[in-house]
Amino acid sequence: MEILADEQAFRTIIGLIVEHRLSPGERLYEPELVEMLGMSRTPIRQALGRLMTEGILEKIPGQKGYRIPALTKEDLLQVFVARSTLESRAAELAAELATEEDIETLLELNHRESDFVELYGNQRKGFFAELNEDFHTRIVRLSGNLYFQRHFSQLYHRSSLYTFYFSPYYILDVNAPEYVARRKDGRYKSSMEHKLIVRALSERDGLMARKHMEEHILNTVKHRLSLGML
């Protein structure tokens, strides 16, 4: 399926963040992105508008351009608590509404995550980020709640800034063997937590699916705070 130009621009800018080629507080200007990405103004402008809606960028008051917002402990807590509240309930509903085919798709995604960690370790981070987003997005859709789906995207993308900039897996300039092992271990834990969620869904255990999803998301909060970077 062909990717629309504005979606490609959106994903490409997200990729620049994953690769740390853009930093919090750094200004972004439409003409510079047009030149950097080799795309026309229209899809870039549409992508920037969407990135602002999703909380990944903010407009600079009284000035031209956009910037990645400052990341704070207070904002981290608020966005991840909101995510855990929404997604844990979505998982509970999904346990009742998902078809066997839906659960097989989630299981396949989880297998791809596990295989990815074994095969690539800390390489191809953008692809792993897409697998993770796909997993969480599918579960929210399976809840059947249109309002959950409407608000999930903004929460997920905003929370991803804390993952891309503070998760050891996505920190690019640290290559010590013990740190590389720690990053791989973090991805392994994430895929194992996803496995528990899928198991609860397959067993139609809504309460357990809710519990595992809540713990999975709040474990991310504990980990980010343990790093002492906020």
Side-chain angles (χ1 to χ4, degrees), residues 72-82 162 218 221 225:
T72 67
K73 178 180 177 180
E74 291 72 23
D75 183 66
L76 167 84
L77 291 170
Q78 288 192 24
V79 73
F80 276 96
V81 167
Y162 292 94
L218 294 182
V221 176
L225 294 177

Side-chain angles (χ1 to χ4, degrees), residues 88-140:
S88 61
R89 177 57 175 149
E92 183 177 8
L93 291 170
E96 176 183 350
L97 298 174
T99 66
E100 292 301 320
E101 183 179 356
D102 293 329
I103 293 171
E104 282 298 319
T105 299
L106 289 171
L107 187 60
E108 174 60 25
L109 270 175
N110 184 230
H111 286 160
R112 290 172 67 191
E113 289 178 315
S114 300
D115 292 343
F116 179 89
V117 173
E118 292 299 324
L119 291 172
Y120 299 106
N122 300 303
Q123 303 173 29
R124 298 179 64 187
K125 299 174 181 66
F127 182 71
F128 190 91
E130 290 177 8
L131 285 176
N132 187 66
E133 181 179 348
D134 194 8
F135 182 87
H136 284 272
T137 300
R138 285 177 183 274
I139 291 177
V140 172

Side-chain angles (χ1 to χ4, degrees), residues 177-190:
E178 64 273 15
Y179 205 74
V180 171
R182 180 181 172 189
R183 286 185 287 181
K184 183 175 179 179
D185 182 58
R187 293 300 90 194
Y188 179 75
K189 287 180 179 176
S190 177

Side-chain angles (χ1 to χ4, degrees), residues 11-30:
R11 291 292 168 188
T12 302
I13 296 171
I14 293 287
L16 295 176
I17 293 172
V18 172
E19 296 169 4
H20 291 197
R21 292 173 61 185
L22 301 173
S23 303
E26 182 177 347
R27 294 189 182 187
L28 300 174
Y29 299 97
E30 185 181 307

Side-chain angles (χ1 to χ4, degrees), residues 165-213:
Y165 287 114
F166 298 114
S167 168
Y169 183 77
Y170 290 95
I171 295 175
L172 303 181
D173 59 350
V174 181
N175 296 305
E178 64 273 15
Y179 205 74
V180 171
R182 180 181 172 189
R183 286 185 287 181
K184 183 175 179 179
D185 182 58
R187 293 300 90 194
Y188 179 75
K189 287 180 179 176
S190 177
S191 65
M192 289 301 295
E193 289 172 356
H194 284 181
K195 184 176 182 179
L196 292 174
I197 294 166
V198 177
R199 181 183 299 167
L201 293 175
S202 68
E203 294 173 353
R204 306 298 177 177
D205 190 336
L207 292 179
M208 190 59 68
R210 181 173 188 160
K211 174 179 179 292
H212 286 317
M213 180 65 82

